[in-house]
Amino acid sequence: LIAAPGLVTSTEKVITCDGSVQRLNCDIGLIRVESAVFGRTDSSICSAGRLPSQVQNTNCIINVPLILERCNGRFACEFNTGTLGGSDPCVGTYKYYNTTYNCVQARASMTCERSYSTLDCGNDVIQVVSANYGRTDSIICSDGLTSNLIKNISCHAPESLTIVAARCNGKRSCILEAENAIFTDPCVGTYKYLAVSYFCHPTRMILFPAETSVTCEGSAAVLTCGVGVLKIHSANYGRTDSTTCSAGRPVNQITKTDCFGSNTLAEVGRRCDGQSNCTVPATNTVFSDPCVGTYKYLSIGYSCGLNENLSTEEGSTNN
């Protein structure tokens, strides 16, 4: 996914054979996983020493949301793929994990259970990238604790991002409490912490939670914000996984998953930034064709926002 300049420092892709260790790492910024899939879409990858029958099925793929939960908002993330569990999308086929992620310029906040922290952006406003109340490693918030309290590193409160975004997005500062009463207890008996990654938006625009629009090739994306205006964060016309917009398509049209339209963000921003609504056709005519023969889709990350002056004026009018 190609994202707004100054937000994404790099886009990385890592492929790991089943049973081996996968590592995601950002030298600059924090991890934001765009897609994580398990299966086989290519007969040559992870094929050394394998029987032909183990690599011939190249129409085998499932999403792995656990990788997003484990890695989003961290500088580095490492795990043995053999411990992920989950279903087997094609029994008898030797599979691999294919993860695409961005390194996002963001700040990180870690708050131990029953503690408070403050996110502060000065004169700018907060935009939350990721949040999890739980535990994903045994080091953070572990001093003086017994091993049984920190050994569970697959602990995730599912509503963490929604709760933190509602409390902090669009504000100059906010106070967060790492407490079961707020997030529920996702792993009883484990000492938890609240991990949040966020960036400070250098505008006087109050942003609502980010949304994603996905439009298959040949159709048109319609973005609308009502009384607010659009702020485009990221956009890509191409393909980064083999499941999105794949229904009824032959395998050879969806196997290329490293397809990026270099002019996507500029074109979507030109049509949509600052508008209350916009329409963007997902076609080669608009973006050119970044991967001939591949069926593509247009993915847009955006927020709706109110200019601070407009928000103040409306508030004064209503009083």
Side-chain angles (χ1 to χ4, degrees):
L1 195 66
I2 299 172
L7 177 58
V8 171
T9 61
S10 64
T11 298
E12 311 288 343
K13 184 174 183 178
V14 58
I15 296 175
T16 305
C17 303
D18 189 19
S20 299
V21 175
Q22 182 164 98
R23 179 177 175 82
L24 283 59
N25 183 77
C26 287
D27 293 329
I28 300 175
L30 303 175
I31 295 167
R32 184 176 65 191
V33 177
E34 297 299 333
S35 68
V37 296
F38 175 56
R40 176 171 290 278
T41 58
D42 186 297
S43 61
S44 62
I45 297 172
C46 293
S47 61
R50 296 289 164 179
L51 297 172
S53 61
Q54 293 181 304
V55 298
Q56 64 185 7
N57 182 356
T58 57
N59 190 24
C60 163
I61 196 165
I62 58 171
N63 290 314
V64 189
L66 182 57
I67 294 178
L68 282 72
E69 295 173 357
R70 285 196 178 191
C71 297
N72 275 353
R74 302 178 65 179
F75 296 103
C77 178
E78 185 175 291
F79 51 88
N80 189 315
T81 58
T83 66
L84 292 178
S87 60
D88 189 338
C90 45
V91 176
T93 294
Y94 185 63
K95 295 164 282 290
Y96 53 86
Y97 289 82
N98 188 341
T99 303
T100 300
Y101 65 99
N102 290 330
C103 292
V104 184
Q105 285 186 348
R107 304 181 184 188
S109 169
M110 301 289 177
T111 310
C112 301
E113 187 175 348
R114 296 187 296 277
S115 298
Y116 294 80
S117 65
T118 300
L119 309 187
D120 192 338
C121 280
N123 291 324
D124 294 328
V125 294
I126 297 166
Q127 183 72 21
V128 177
V129 177
S130 67
N132 182 57
Y133 178 67
R135 178 170 288 277
T136 58
D137 72 47
S138 59
I139 305 300
I140 298 171
C141 294
S142 64
D143 187 51
L145 299 180
T146 56
S147 61
N148 65 301
L149 293 175
I150 58 176
K151 65 182 180 181
N152 181 357
I153 57 172
S154 297
C155 176
H156 310 273
E159 296 301 315
S160 301
L161 179 58
T162 300
I163 293 170
V164 174
R167 289 172 177 245
C168 298
N169 274 0
K171 298 180 180 179
R172 291 187 174 93
S173 67
C174 66
I175 297 174
L176 295 173
E177 181 181 4
E179 175 60 56
N180 292 337
I182 295 174
F183 296 97
T184 71
D185 190 343
C187 45
V188 177
T190 293
Y191 186 68
K192 294 163 284 291
Y193 56 86
L194 175 62
V196 178
S197 64
Y198 67 102
F199 65 92
C200 295
H201 204 280
T203 70
R204 299 285 69 76
M205 180 177 285
I206 299 173
L207 295 176
F208 298 103
E211 301 182 47
T212 301
S213 166
V214 177
T215 306
C216 300
E217 182 178 352
S219 299
V222 179
L223 310 183
T224 182
C225 279
V227 296
V229 295
L230 291 159
K231 175 61 181 176
I232 305 301
H233 301 301
S234 61
N236 183 53
Y237 177 67
R239 177 169 290 277
T240 58
D241 69 60
S242 58
T243 55
T244 303
C245 292
S246 61
R249 292 288 161 180
V251 173
N252 66 314
Q253 290 186 354
I254 59 174
T255 53
K256 183 174 177 59
T257 56
D258 57 351
C259 175
F260 303 93
S262 59
N263 67 329
T264 312
L265 180 62
E267 182 63 29
V268 175
R270 184 183 69 81
R271 291 171 177 252
C272 300
D273 259 332
Q275 305 296 316
S276 60
N277 59 77
C278 69
T279 300
V280 186
T283 64
N284 295 334
T285 303
V286 173
F287 297 103
S288 74
D289 192 341
C291 44
V292 177
T294 292
Y295 185 65
K296 295 164 285 291
Y297 54 88
L298 174 62
S299 178
I300 304 172
Y302 69 99
S303 294
C304 293
L306 291 173
N307 287 326
E308 198 171 72
N309 291 340
L310 176 60
S311 179
T312 302
E313 290 169 6
E314 289 181 345
S316 300
T317 303
N318 292 333
N319 288 336

